[in-house]
Amino acid sequence: MSDISLSDLAWITREELSSHMLGSDAAPQLPDHIAVIDVRDSDHIGGHIKGSTWVPSSELDYKTPELVRTLKDKEVVVFHCALSQQRGPSAALRYLREKRRLDPQSKTEGKGEDAKKDEKGQKVVVLTGGFTQWQEKYGADKRLTEGWKKDIWEFGY
C-alpha cells in the first residue's frame, strides 16, 4: 500500500496558474516548465486550458507510466478534471504513486499547502475547482482557454 494519500496533495488556484501563463512578455502560453493534464472524459468538449494535454481518465491505467517518463523534466505538473473533486485528484495520486514505483528512491516532501515536491524538484498539484471554475473566469479569454463554447457552460456544469 502506498504512503501517498489524498491529504498529501497540493493545490493550485486558477489565478496562480493563469499568472504563470500571463507572466512572460511573449504571447501568453503555458511555460515550458509546467504541464497541465486534463483528465476529463467526454466532458472535455466545450474548451480546455491553452497548452494542456488531454489524457482521459479512462486511459490513465496504461498512460500513467508514459506520462511519468515524458513529464520527468517538468517542474510543475497540474492535474484537473471538471471539478477536481475525483478524477483530477485521483490522477495526481496515480501519477505520484507510479513515479514512486518506477523510482523507489524518489521520496516526496511536504503536505497540503506545501506543494508536493520530489527530490528532483517536481511539484504535482491539482487545479482547485477544475475546469468548471477555470472557465467561469477565463473561458472567454482566448489567451488562456482554447475551444471554449459559451453555450455549453452558460447554465453551469
Side-chain angles (χ1 to χ4, degrees):
M1 177 153 203
S2 176
D3 62 338
I4 304 170
S5 69
L6 282 172
S7 65
D8 294 324
L9 292 177
W11 298 79
I12 187 170
T13 66
R14 62 188 178 186
E15 291 80 13
E16 290 170 314
L17 182 56
S18 68
S19 71
H20 286 292
M21 295 172 74
L22 296 172
S24 72
D25 294 331
Q29 64 181 1
L30 200 57
D32 290 339
H33 71 282
I34 298 176
V36 176
I37 309 301
D38 182 340
V39 298
R40 292 177 291 160
D41 294 300
S42 62
D43 54 339
H44 183 259
I45 62 167
H48 58 274
I49 296 171
K50 190 173 185 178
S52 64
T53 300
W54 182 35
V55 181
S57 66
S58 59
E59 298 177 7
L60 281 171
D61 280 344
Y62 65 91
K63 288 206 172 177
T64 301
E66 175 186 347
L67 277 176
V68 170
R69 286 189 296 278
T70 59
L71 301 176
K72 70 180 185 290
D73 296 327
K74 299 292 183 181
E75 291 176 27
V76 179
V77 180
V78 180
F79 284 90
H80 79 85
C81 58
L83 300 170
S84 288
Q85 292 179 347
Q86 186 173 359
R87 293 172 294 179
S90 294
L93 274 178
R94 185 176 296 190
Y95 179 85
L96 286 167
R97 290 172 177 166
E98 182 65 10
K99 278 183 65 154
R100 176 77 54 85
R101 186 187 74 76
L102 293 173
D103 183 6
Q105 304 307 315
S106 167
K107 296 290 182 196
T108 52
E109 299 172 5
K111 286 189 176 253
E113 295 305 311
D114 301 326
K116 210 108 183 86
K117 194 173 189 178
D118 65 18
E119 290 174 348
K120 295 174 182 152
Q122 187 177 76
K123 296 177 186 177
V124 177
V125 297
V126 180
L127 178 63
T128 303
F131 188 75
T132 301
Q133 264 190 21
W134 175 272
Q135 68 80 32
E136 286 173 357
K137 188 167 185 177
Y138 303 118
D141 190 336
K142 293 183 187 229
R143 300 171 305 159
L144 300 170
T145 307
E146 293 177 316
W148 186 68
K149 306 279 188 243
K150 180 181 179 182
D151 57 328
I152 290 176
W153 295 100
E154 67 185 335
F155 299 113
Y157 181 73

